[in-house]
Amino acid sequence: MKNQFIMDIRAGDRVDDIFVLSEKILSQKRDGDNFLNVTLSDRTGTIKGVVWDNVEQIATGITSGNFAYVSGSVGDYKGDLQVVIKIMDPIPSDRIDPCDFLPKTPRDIEGMFERLLKRVNSIDTDYLKALIDAFFKDNEFVTKFKTAPAAKKMHHAYVGGLLEHTLSMLSLADKIAGHYGGINRDLLLTGTLLHDIGKIDEFEYQFKIDYSDEGRLLNHIVIGIKMLDDKLSEIRHFPEDQILMLKHMIVSHHGTREFGSPEPPKTIEAVLLNYIDEIDSKVNAIRDFIASEDPDETWTSYHRLLGRHFYKGNKSAYVPRIR
Amino acid sequence: MKNQFIMDIRAGDRVDDIFVLSEKILSQKRDGDNFLNVTLSDRTGTIKGVVWDNVEQIATGITSGNFAYVSGSVGDYKGDLQVVIKIMDPIPSDRIDPCDFLPKTPRDIEGMFERLLKRVNSIDTDYLKALIDAFFKDNEFVTKFKTAPAAKKMHHAYVGGLLEHTLSMLSLADKIAGHYGGINRDLLLTGTLLHDIGKIDEFEYQFKIDYSDEGRLLNHIVIGIKMLDDKLSEIRHFPEDQILMLKHMIVSHHGTREFGSPEPPKTIEAVLLNYIDEIDSKVNAIRDFIASEDPDETWTSYHRLLGRHFYKGNKSAYVPRIR
Amino acid sequence: MKNQFIMDIRAGDRVDDIFVLSEKILSQKRDGDNFLNVTLSDRTGTIKGVVWDNVEQIATGITSGNFAYVSGSVGDYKGDLQVVIKIMDPIPSDRIDPCDFLPKTPRDIEGMFERLLKRVNSIDTDYLKALIDAFFKDNEFVTKFKTAPAAKKMHHAYVGGLLEHTLSMLSLADKIAGHYGGINRDLLLTGTLLHDIGKIDEFEYQFKIDYSDEGRLLNHIVIGIKMLDDKLSEIRHFPEDQILMLKHMIVSHHGTREFGSPEPPKTIEAVLLNYIDEIDSKVNAIRDFIASEDPDETWTSYHRLLGRHFYKGNKSAYVPRIR
Amino acid sequence: MKNQFIMDIRAGDRVDDIFVLSEKILSQKRDGDNFLNVTLSDRTGTIKGVVWDNVEQIATGITSGNFAYVSGSVGDYKGDLQVVIKIMDPIPSDRIDPCDFLPKTPRDIEGMFERLLKRVNSIDTDYLKALIDAFFKDNEFVTKFKTAPAAKKMHHAYVGGLLEHTLSMLSLADKIAGHYGGINRDLLLTGTLLHDIGKIDEFEYQFKIDYSDEGRLLNHIVIGIKMLDDKLSEIRHFPEDQILMLKHMIVSHHGTREFGSPEPPKTIEAVLLNYIDEIDSKVNAIRDFIASEDPDETWTSYHRLLGRHFYKGNKSAYVPRIR
Amino acid sequence: MKNQFIMDIRAGDRVDDIFVLSEKILSQKRDGDNFLNVTLSDRTGTIKGVVWDNVEQIATGITSGNFAYVSGSVGDYKGDLQVVIKIMDPIPSDRIDPCDFLPKTPRDIEGMFERLLKRVNSIDTDYLKALIDAFFKDNEFVTKFKTAPAAKKMHHAYVGGLLEHTLSMLSLADKIAGHYGGINRDLLLTGTLLHDIGKIDEFEYQFKIDYSDEGRLLNHIVIGIKMLDDKLSEIRHFPEDQILMLKHMIVSHHGTREFGSPEPPKTIEAVLLNYIDEIDSKVNAIRDFIASEDPDETWTSYHRLLGRHFYKGNKSAYVPRIR
Amino acid sequence: MKNQFIMDIRAGDRVDDIFVLSEKILSQKRDGDNFLNVTLSDRTGTIKGVVWDNVEQIATGITSGNFAYVSGSVGDYKGDLQVVIKIMDPIPSDRIDPCDFLPKTPRDIEGMFERLLKRVNSIDTDYLKALIDAFFKDNEFVTKFKTAPAAKKMHHAYVGGLLEHTLSMLSLADKIAGHYGGINRDLLLTGTLLHDIGKIDEFEYQFKIDYSDEGRLLNHIVIGIKMLDDKLSEIRHFPEDQILMLKHMIVSHHGTREFGSPEPPKTIEAVLLNYIDEIDSKVNAIRDFIASEDPDETWTSYHRLLGRHFYKGNKSAYVPRIR
């Protein structure tokens, strides 16, 4: 566990902790001597560094992408902070706590998981119960489900993001199932719970969040269908019609072909799932974007993917809260 | 009030009630004599008719679009029902009950309006209260608001549709405002209440639902902004920032320029309003479509505007219900 | 096996064979007596019919969608042929040869299948061989694969169409694999063989071609991936990397999200498969369209889906041929 | 009024005038001493500057965005000009002439306004005359109308741009109204005059051109309709039909929903207004772009928004001229 | 020259003139006798007809598409007019005046051509003069140019339409060239004159307007470039730069690739040509559409290609006029 | 012929050869003395340089875009190579071998041309033979055809690229013509040979590849049609129908209007040509992209135009090969 994080470092501080060496460039001074320009990072940001002494020794002992114990002092260079590094030793990745290097949900993972279990326990259709059990008694699945991010960028792009997103959607789904008549609540909740499970293998999120080979080649929709099929094969007499409707909810949850669903939603439950997903991901994306911006400005900067500035007006700050 | 509706007419029945003469074509028999082919309609459908006798007298006394008292007997002609008409007399439109000729919400209008008032009474921001009062103490507005449809086709396309749609959205908005932190609930509910008010003048819905001149030339967004401005001018010290945010919710509630909003939603409340509108209009459209189709089929026919068939599976019927 | 097909019927003929009763409408003559308007069909087209006598008996004994033995004589009515029907008796569907009622490839199915086997036998990568064996030793699969259509409309929309399409593509794939260096020929051929297997369950094609529930809700891409997974589970040590690349070929073979692939092609083999599929389906669609049009015209009529007329010029007719 | 503008500054010059301090960064020399990197700007461009002495005093006395009296000398640093600043004192904004800091039309504003008045005086429909008077006797409106830009970027993006654009369009509208029969000239000219009035509040253009809150949240179409309504409320007996047609011209002048008009043009006059706006804005945008590019090149660089290079050939230069 | 046109025919009239036999269907009466259902047409519309006597003789002597001398009497059948035909004799097409069968500009062709010559005579650049001469001294070109339509549907879709469209555009081009400085007027007018010349071969318009083979395969842009090249080859020392700019105007006059121009307009003159073409074709299309609709309605019906209804309000009728 | 190429230069080397001076910036040292920052380039890349001595003399003698003999020594500056230049003398462009400065096909141009001749010699339709002769006996055409690139970027963007692309497509076209019956092989091969000939004038490729004026204003489709027309004018009795079909293949070979074809393919041969072009250009683009990327990575970086990463898996390297 790290004690020192990049966002807290100030000019004049001493540096004395583990970082990722994310970039390393060998350069030459005018007198011909070598020196190293480096970039260090952890889950809170990046900082520049420079090595003037023992350059060759340090340069050969460690490559970019590695973890390193770094010792040095912090100054200002052309308006940016810069660490003048004296020591930089490689550290094996098994001695690292990934949470020091990955962004993580601000909420309590175990607490969220308990609330999720409570919500799904209210489902009382037998075979759906059996299906949910098949997933939640699979420890490997549960471990991944608790830590997976919901995206690489855009929304819930942090450890625990998938769980947070799914929990919030379950609560919304329950409210909406109660609002309209004629909705199969148990089906809607089960589909909501499972719609994004493919993401646990779509991403790699050990030390940074990126797509896995499987994620890039198959997409979490196709991965999720396979995971569902594997669990369904363990349950006897699961009604064929319900299998189709559950799978259809996963297949269609992006709403249109343009957004990656091979078929659009063709049942009321699938239509609702698509909207609930839209609301929860957009609200999370916008609130995180607003939170990352200068709190004194009335407007955010331009959000490239959403194609607009957002207005904050004079309202009290947006404090994320899930009930 | 009519006693006899087209959907109930069977071969062998006598016809004896008021209908709209929606089409009238003068034709000639092989022997050179004239006869009339006509179409009659009311809020439940249309039926063909033919006039063999007193053709000239009947033809000149009444033009298509008029209401008519019709007397005759019903037979089958090439597989369709056909009224052989003996009497067809024009009826002035002020002796007509529009509800006989317009589709109407299956729910109780006064009951819905009371529940709407109750919901908006929970808003406790002073100036928003004052604004809502300005609307709901305007009897002309209230009368129109209770009867206006929400659309010509597609969703809530019936008398009382605007009220039904707004009430359902208010309930959803309240649930979602409570789900996420940092939402200005009173603003969201007020924006929801007012987002479609322009529709009371966008449509004409005396005897059939169609666009008004104003509706076709200006769009309900522009009409609604003017109605809001008129009421705002009656309230002193309404905060400028809140005026902008309210108007913005009306301006942006279609979500994108492609769908007719000059600007996309740029506040959390406007983003949520757009999704709530989407959900409620699509759910209503799909359920009405399913209800109008053969209940014995597993699939509906192809929905042209939504671009797909809908699947009904083996579930019990969709009974529309609002809580 | 039928002896008489609709496209050969002429005015003056007697009718005496089995047809599908595709439509049945009870009508009334001016004198009040009932008669039946019907539509009969087989794989070569449709013809109108009328029943003047024994109407009630015939009407109750048989419903639309049933097969019927029909006896009558053919006349002209308003420029169309019309069968005046004397007898119409229901026939159980197990006494029917589906090929009488479904359009079918003009090529020899067994001959095409042998050539397909020969082509795939040239694949000499062990685990791919094992996979292909897993499919071709599964009799249920083989039976369906030989008869499935490749589409409901547009291209290869007939019994045996999937086989014909796959065989033609395999031959093209082999040529193109030899043209460019660096292509994994065995992977390309296997992917081509399997890319559309999901279609055997996407369609129902017993007596007419239509989408199955599974087809409409899941799409043949998702169905095909499941079929591949089932066979892969029977083979030990199948290289993980090759599983991904094979599945990716199925997932991406429509080329873009707009056309239903959740991911676009990201390997050379997947890129080629998409183009080979495009070429073979478009060439088949255009040639069938040209063949169905008036041979004396220089231009075809407008092809709605392809958005153009096609030009035939002075060339000798397009005789479909596969080598 | 400034005497010295950035585009005229050369290496070796002394600087001695007022500028906007658009950026200010505190940095540290290797010896630990602080220095300031700054950017200065006026309506002709930007220049870099550096402060080596009295850094703390200067840094605290003035913040970025302020106006400053700057004194120093100009040198070259890495190929760019750089002001070595000795004095930098804040100047209150009320002592500033905005025209020193905002780009401005090269044409005479009062002269253009007189020609505009002359053109609109030729309108002889009574109620339209009254409407125009209502606007032009409102001094606050006139002042803003004369100075507002027509855009932030792209075309007429300078003080006086709205007037210049409107005047040019009025002249075109008059020519085209005379070309085609059946055009209501007075309506076309009035609609042209008013189509962009909302821009006087859509932008802020005191010291730089940017969108106002109102502009970003409501769009100049909605703002303009409100301004029109306010003036219409002062005129009795304005024909309802003409109100609708005028408002429709504002609502539809962007031509399609994609470009921000809630409704497309549905009258001949609205159709023409849209094209006249298109022509005048594109011609202005292209000519300004060509004028800003190297006059010795046959082609301009790539215009990102218009998506092409423009060709200048061997023609004499494009001298903008309005008749 | 015909004396009797279909739009003037009334029930009770005798028919006695030449028509196109556009459709011919042989039918059978219930008694087994043959009769003929036919459709007749001329430039003013179509009318149904029936032949009860001498059916075989009439049926074999004339095929659909032929001209025919028709004699008979007019009655009403099911609400439509119907000619009971006694005589129908084929007429060779060289005895026909095409203007009886093709819609034609309401304006005087020779008068328009003179005004066009006058306008182009004001061009005083030598080589452009020479180019225009090359076209206008080519009698075959002139004959076609005077009679060609500008389209099959949508705008100026009648004999003389190309000339009318070009003349109107020339006048507009001249006005706009005078409005903006820096326009090469002679180039703009020459480009306008020639932009659509390819249409004289894109269409066939002897007895009805349709695309030619060349038109469908090559498009009038490519055809027009070839015609221009042929004339340019007759003129020595035509400046290369001007050839490029002229050809570019033809190539780019549809504005974007989506509308069929391989390159978008990249000179001011090409940009203007595109807008002038847009204005003139849309104004013509909308006015013709309004003129063809019920004059008593406030709104037109829905225009499918332009995607809207048009509003006519209370204005006096749109009387087309070119100055 | 150069001996020294930029991609081979290492720190410590001496530089002593000809380069393009692609950029030249005059700067000032802190002491006020001038120095020059320059960029040098050849077909293998670019390198930075600096001139400390004789600055004025060197700066005035040579301008950017010129060729220069450069002498100096190579060091490292901030991690990049930098040439400290002592001599930089201008070299006239006629003493330059363009191949030193342009990227070139890795294949043998003469060898490819021979194989192309052999393939087209198999065409035995007389008039097509005559047409091909007309092109290949035109030495100016042949010289350009052998050296032209097929694009500025994206695919075959090097000297000899057009020939390489055309040869590869001819071979594919021959295979596909043999695969499907009813294809006019000679027409398909001739159309393939000629489809891109306009590119020899669409690009300038003396010392770098860029669009010519003609290329930007007319597009290679329009240029190619003109070249074809010129050659067709030399051949008597070329069948009109075949002219149309050949020209149509050039006009439509981009497949849709969006991609620059004024008409889509309307013959089987034109449809095939479009696909063959697509396959060959995409396969070349993807393989070149993969080859230019780090061979140790499983994935390429993101390809901006194709909108995806490409997967290389564990396969042996892609060795380009044409048979």
mmCIF file of all heavy atoms in Angstrom, chain B residues 154-175:
data_model
loop_
_atom_site.group_PDB
_atom_site.id
_atom_site.type_symbol
_atom_site.label_atom_id
_atom_site.label_comp_id
_atom_site.label_asym_id
_atom_site.label_seq_id
_atom_site.Cartn_x
_atom_site.Cartn_y
_atom_site.Cartn_z
ATOM 1 N N MET B 154 -48.808 7.562 -33.143
ATOM 2 C CA MET B 154 -47.650 7.012 -32.409
ATOM 3 C C MET B 154 -47.906 6.773 -30.919
ATOM 4 O O MET B 154 -47.878 5.649 -30.496
ATOM 5 C CB MET B 154 -46.453 7.956 -32.600
ATOM 6 C CG MET B 154 -45.137 7.378 -32.181
ATOM 7 S SD MET B 154 -44.587 6.116 -33.377
ATOM 8 C CE MET B 154 -43.086 5.569 -32.546
ATOM 9 N N HIS B 155 -48.124 7.824 -30.106
ATOM 10 C CA HIS B 155 -48.301 7.552 -28.664
ATOM 11 C C HIS B 155 -49.268 8.557 -28.044
ATOM 12 O O HIS B 155 -49.247 9.721 -28.383
ATOM 13 C CB HIS B 155 -46.963 7.579 -27.930
ATOM 14 C CG HIS B 155 -46.430 8.951 -27.657
ATOM 15 N ND1 HIS B 155 -46.603 9.593 -26.451
ATOM 16 C CD2 HIS B 155 -45.753 9.802 -28.445
ATOM 17 C CE1 HIS B 155 -46.028 10.773 -26.502
ATOM 18 N NE2 HIS B 155 -45.496 10.930 -27.694
ATOM 19 N N HIS B 156 -50.105 8.101 -27.132
ATOM 20 C CA HIS B 156 -51.094 8.952 -26.451
ATOM 21 C C HIS B 156 -51.858 9.821 -27.446
ATOM 22 O O HIS B 156 -52.132 10.998 -27.173
ATOM 23 C CB HIS B 156 -50.423 9.861 -25.407
ATOM 24 C CG HIS B 156 -49.661 9.139 -24.342
ATOM 25 N ND1 HIS B 156 -48.315 8.887 -24.448
ATOM 26 C CD2 HIS B 156 -50.044 8.593 -23.154
ATOM 27 C CE1 HIS B 156 -47.894 8.244 -23.368
ATOM 28 N NE2 HIS B 156 -48.918 8.044 -22.571
ATOM 29 N N ALA B 157 -52.209 9.236 -28.604
ATOM 30 C CA ALA B 157 -52.867 10.001 -29.653
ATOM 31 C C ALA B 157 -54.374 9.982 -29.452
ATOM 32 O O ALA B 157 -55.120 9.473 -30.285
ATOM 33 C CB ALA B 157 -52.468 9.432 -31.016
ATOM 34 N N TYR B 158 -54.816 10.533 -28.313
ATOM 35 C CA TYR B 158 -56.242 10.554 -28.023
ATOM 36 C C TYR B 158 -56.536 11.678 -27.032
ATOM 37 O O TYR B 158 -55.624 12.211 -26.389
ATOM 38 C CB TYR B 158 -56.705 9.207 -27.472
ATOM 39 C CG TYR B 158 -55.758 8.514 -26.520
ATOM 40 C CD1 TYR B 158 -55.526 9.010 -25.241
ATOM 41 C CD2 TYR B 158 -55.093 7.349 -26.903
ATOM 42 C CE1 TYR B 158 -54.667 8.362 -24.370
ATOM 43 C CE2 TYR B 158 -54.222 6.695 -26.035
ATOM 44 C CZ TYR B 158 -54.018 7.207 -24.767
ATOM 45 O OH TYR B 158 -53.164 6.566 -23.893
ATOM 46 N N VAL B 159 -57.806 12.033 -26.931
ATOM 47 C CA VAL B 159 -58.222 13.058 -25.986
ATOM 48 C C VAL B 159 -57.788 12.653 -24.578
ATOM 49 O O VAL B 159 -58.016 11.516 -24.161
ATOM 50 C CB VAL B 159 -59.760 13.233 -26.063
ATOM 51 C CG1 VAL B 159 -60.266 14.029 -24.862
ATOM 52 C CG2 VAL B 159 -60.143 13.910 -27.370
ATOM 53 N N GLY B 160 -57.143 13.575 -23.881
ATOM 54 C CA GLY B 160 -56.641 13.264 -22.548
ATOM 55 C C GLY B 160 -55.239 12.683 -22.567
ATOM 56 O O GLY B 160 -54.646 12.422 -21.519
ATOM 57 N N GLY B 161 -54.689 12.503 -23.747
ATOM 58 C CA GLY B 161 -53.369 11.876 -23.882
ATOM 59 C C GLY B 161 -52.259 12.727 -23.280
ATOM 60 O O GLY B 161 -51.323 12.200 -22.671
ATOM 61 N N LEU B 162 -52.336 14.043 -23.444
ATOM 62 C CA LEU B 162 -51.294 14.915 -22.897
ATOM 63 C C LEU B 162 -51.276 14.822 -21.374
ATOM 64 O O LEU B 162 -50.212 14.705 -20.754
ATOM 65 C CB LEU B 162 -51.550 16.364 -23.336
ATOM 66 C CG LEU B 162 -50.590 17.404 -22.746
ATOM 67 C CD1 LEU B 162 -49.161 17.133 -23.172
ATOM 68 C CD2 LEU B 162 -51.011 18.808 -23.158
ATOM 69 N N LEU B 163 -52.459 14.861 -20.780
ATOM 70 C CA LEU B 163 -52.554 14.752 -19.314
ATOM 71 C C LEU B 163 -52.037 13.400 -18.841
ATOM 72 O O LEU B 163 -51.230 13.314 -17.902
ATOM 73 C CB LEU B 163 -54.021 14.943 -18.891
ATOM 74 C CG LEU B 163 -54.364 14.663 -17.424
ATOM 75 C CD1 LEU B 163 -53.544 15.539 -16.494
ATOM 76 C CD2 LEU B 163 -55.859 14.884 -17.198
ATOM 77 N N GLU B 164 -52.455 12.339 -19.491
ATOM 78 C CA GLU B 164 -52.030 10.993 -19.094
ATOM 79 C C GLU B 164 -50.502 10.857 -19.187
ATOM 80 O O GLU B 164 -49.860 10.321 -18.275
ATOM 81 C CB GLU B 164 -52.712 9.970 -20.011
ATOM 82 C CG GLU B 164 -52.343 8.530 -19.689
ATOM 83 C CD GLU B 164 -52.977 7.541 -20.667
ATOM 84 O OE1 GLU B 164 -54.074 7.839 -21.208
ATOM 85 O OE2 GLU B 164 -52.367 6.499 -20.915
ATOM 86 N N HIS B 165 -49.949 11.347 -20.299
ATOM 87 C CA HIS B 165 -48.496 11.281 -20.530
ATOM 88 C C HIS B 165 -47.755 12.113 -19.473
ATOM 89 O O HIS B 165 -46.770 11.656 -18.885
ATOM 90 C CB HIS B 165 -48.236 11.820 -21.940
ATOM 91 C CG HIS B 165 -46.809 11.888 -22.360
ATOM 92 N ND1 HIS B 165 -45.893 10.875 -22.164
ATOM 93 C CD2 HIS B 165 -46.129 12.874 -23.018
ATOM 94 C CE1 HIS B 165 -44.726 11.229 -22.678
ATOM 95 N NE2 HIS B 165 -44.841 12.439 -23.182
ATOM 96 N N THR B 166 -48.250 13.320 -19.199
ATOM 97 C CA THR B 166 -47.580 14.192 -18.238
ATOM 98 C C THR B 166 -47.639 13.609 -16.830
ATOM 99 O O THR B 166 -46.642 13.613 -16.096
ATOM 100 C CB THR B 166 -48.233 15.589 -18.261
ATOM 101 O OG1 THR B 166 -48.210 16.091 -19.605
ATOM 102 C CG2 THR B 166 -47.488 16.566 -17.364
ATOM 103 N N LEU B 167 -48.783 13.075 -16.464
ATOM 104 C CA LEU B 167 -48.936 12.477 -15.131
ATOM 105 C C LEU B 167 -47.986 11.292 -14.946
ATOM 106 O O LEU B 167 -47.301 11.175 -13.927
ATOM 107 C CB LEU B 167 -50.382 12.019 -14.936
ATOM 108 C CG LEU B 167 -50.662 11.224 -13.659
ATOM 109 C CD1 LEU B 167 -50.365 12.063 -12.421
ATOM 110 C CD2 LEU B 167 -52.102 10.727 -13.640
ATOM 111 N N SER B 168 -47.942 10.424 -15.948
ATOM 112 C CA SER B 168 -47.069 9.257 -15.854
ATOM 113 C C SER B 168 -45.607 9.696 -15.749
ATOM 114 O O SER B 168 -44.834 9.171 -14.948
ATOM 115 C CB SER B 168 -47.287 8.352 -17.078
ATOM 116 O OG SER B 168 -46.388 7.267 -17.055
ATOM 117 N N MET B 169 -45.233 10.704 -16.536
ATOM 118 C CA MET B 169 -43.856 11.191 -16.491
ATOM 119 C C MET B 169 -43.524 11.824 -15.142
ATOM 120 O O MET B 169 -42.399 11.693 -14.648
ATOM 121 C CB MET B 169 -43.619 12.202 -17.612
ATOM 122 C CG MET B 169 -43.428 11.557 -18.970
ATOM 123 S SD MET B 169 -43.246 12.834 -20.254
ATOM 124 C CE MET B 169 -41.714 13.611 -19.721
ATOM 125 N N LEU B 170 -44.478 12.552 -14.552
ATOM 126 C CA LEU B 170 -44.222 13.181 -13.253
ATOM 127 C C LEU B 170 -43.893 12.132 -12.208
ATOM 128 O O LEU B 170 -42.975 12.318 -11.392
ATOM 129 C CB LEU B 170 -45.456 13.968 -12.804
ATOM 130 C CG LEU B 170 -45.583 15.388 -13.333
ATOM 131 C CD1 LEU B 170 -46.938 15.959 -12.946
ATOM 132 C CD2 LEU B 170 -44.463 16.278 -12.802
ATOM 133 N N SER B 171 -44.633 11.034 -12.249
ATOM 134 C CA SER B 171 -44.398 9.975 -11.282
ATOM 135 C C SER B 171 -43.010 9.364 -11.487
ATOM 136 O O SER B 171 -42.252 9.150 -10.533
ATOM 137 C CB SER B 171 -45.506 8.933 -11.428
ATOM 138 O OG SER B 171 -45.166 7.743 -10.784
ATOM 139 N N LEU B 172 -42.657 9.113 -12.748
ATOM 140 C CA LEU B 172 -41.321 8.583 -13.051
ATOM 141 C C LEU B 172 -40.244 9.579 -12.622
ATOM 142 O O LEU B 172 -39.214 9.199 -12.051
ATOM 143 C CB LEU B 172 -41.173 8.331 -14.550
ATOM 144 C CG LEU B 172 -41.633 6.994 -15.101
ATOM 145 C CD1 LEU B 172 -41.413 6.952 -16.603
ATOM 146 C CD2 LEU B 172 -40.837 5.851 -14.450
ATOM 147 N N ALA B 173 -40.456 10.852 -12.927
ATOM 148 C CA ALA B 173 -39.464 11.881 -12.614
ATOM 149 C C ALA B 173 -39.218 11.931 -11.110
ATOM 150 O O ALA B 173 -38.075 12.074 -10.655
ATOM 151 C CB ALA B 173 -39.939 13.235 -13.124
ATOM 152 N N ASP B 174 -40.285 11.794 -10.337
ATOM 153 C CA ASP B 174 -40.144 11.838 -8.888
ATOM 154 C C ASP B 174 -39.295 10.663 -8.408
ATOM 155 O O ASP B 174 -38.412 10.816 -7.559
ATOM 156 C CB ASP B 174 -41.543 11.796 -8.252
ATOM 157 C CG ASP B 174 -41.584 12.596 -6.959
ATOM 158 O OD1 ASP B 174 -40.519 13.075 -6.530
ATOM 159 O OD2 ASP B 174 -42.674 12.745 -6.388
ATOM 160 N N LYS B 175 -39.556 9.476 -8.971
ATOM 161 C CA LYS B 175 -38.780 8.299 -8.573
ATOM 162 C C LYS B 175 -37.303 8.483 -8.925
ATOM 163 O O LYS B 175 -36.419 8.144 -8.138
ATOM 164 C CB LYS B 175 -39.323 7.061 -9.293
ATOM 165 C CG LYS B 175 -40.664 6.591 -8.734
ATOM 166 C CD LYS B 175 -41.168 5.363 -9.475
ATOM 167 C CE LYS B 175 -42.387 4.776 -8.796
ATOM 168 N NZ LYS B 175 -43.631 4.941 -9.601
#
